[in-house]
Amino acid sequence: QVQLMESGGGSVQAGGSLRLSCAASGYTYCNSYWDWYRQAPGKEREFVSSITTDGSTTYADSVKGRFTVSRDSAKNTVYLQANKLIPEDTAMYYCRLRGVYCAGGYRPLNIWGQGTQVTISS
């Protein structure tokens, strides 16, 4: 069974950086399709970034130029490098494993991490 473990959140001042990680266990030798979302108190969950099985990346307008999504397929891990952080970035960040491309083909999934808190002070 696939499980996700998120880490890397914390509290930093505006202008600082954080590197979020999300590691999947339960499968090997597959390429993964990942999303990052975030949710602030009183707000709907919003899309942040994604990286597909072939490495294509997408970013929300609010984080373009500041955030970078990457992956280490050998470790079944996705990263979100968040730079030049601003108070508006404060939220709980969630990774989602959307699917895996393995020897048998692509398998769609919808598995969420437990979340990691990012807090940015001005």
Side-chain angles (χ1 to χ4, degrees):
Q1 186 173 10
V2 177
Q3 294 180 308
L4 307 183
M5 181 172 292
E6 287 190 59
S7 62
S11 299
V12 298
Q13 292 184 325
S17 298
L18 288 170
R19 183 174 174 85
L20 311 184
S21 299
C22 181
S25 62
Y27 66 96
T28 57
Y29 306 114
C30 304
N31 286 329
S32 299
Y33 180 11
W34 297 95
D35 289 337
W36 286 98
Y37 285 78
R38 66 187 183 186
Q39 187 168 22
K43 296 184 178 181
E44 295 183 355
R45 181 163 44 182
E46 66 173 336
F47 171 80
V48 175
S49 184
S50 68
I51 183 166
T52 68
T53 54
D54 65 0
S56 298
T57 58
T58 302
Y59 299 94
D61 288 342
S62 58
V63 304
K64 285 181 179 177
R66 299 187 298 115
F67 288 19
T68 303
V69 63
S70 61
R71 67 185 181 189
D72 185 339
S73 294
K75 297 181 179 180
N76 294 333
T77 301
V78 65
Y79 304 96
L80 187 67
Q81 179 67 44
N83 298 327
K84 298 181 179 180
L85 287 159
I86 58 177
E88 289 77 11
D89 295 321
T90 296
M92 184 74 75
Y93 284 70
Y94 299 92
C95 60
R96 178 173 66 146
L97 182 60
R98 297 188 62 172
V100 293
Y101 188 85
C102 308
Y106 184 75
R107 178 182 291 274
L109 300 169
N110 187 30
I111 302 173
W112 292 86
Q114 82 281 5
T116 185
Q117 179 67 42
V118 170
T119 302
I120 312 302
S121 59
S122 60

